Amino acid sequence: MPDGADPAGPAAGHVDEHPFTAAVKPLLEAVGATAVDPAEARAEDVVLEWDGTPAVAVRLPHLNRALDRLLAETARRFDGRPLAELDRTEKQRVVALLEERGAFTVRHGVETVASALGVSRFTVYNYLNRQEKS
């Protein structure tokens, strides 16, 4: 590995990047994925090709980390305030945003979100039910 190269791979910007890797970098960052040299891809990585040649391998985040990232991203949408400090209407908006992003498909998603919001699981379910009705 060259001096100063980051073992994290092309996403860190220290390894020669394929133009396709540079193009998908914002998407990878948004979903918490890591770009990896295709030669270092693991079986669970997704190898993306360009003109029939492997250009980048994508290492997806573990789902629990993805939910944590989603909660942090959502807090940033609310001026970085802790989610537990939001008012009821804002918490309902948070639940709606998280529902759209699939947060409740993750095991213990409701419990994790309830804890972050400082409410009960029952309250999160009420917010979700209210959403379905409107």
Side-chain angles (χ1 to χ4, degrees), residues 18-21 37-39 46-57:
H18 187 283
F20 181 69
T21 304
D37 186 305
V46 179
V47 178
L48 303 177
E49 295 185 355
W50 182 265
D51 287 334
T53 304
V56 63

Side-chain angles (χ1 to χ4, degrees), residues 28 34-42 45-48 55-59:
L28 300 182
T34 305
V36 179
D37 186 305
E40 298 174 16
R42 299 180 193 155
D45 294 339
V46 179
V47 178
L48 303 177
V56 63
V58 177
R59 187 159 297 152

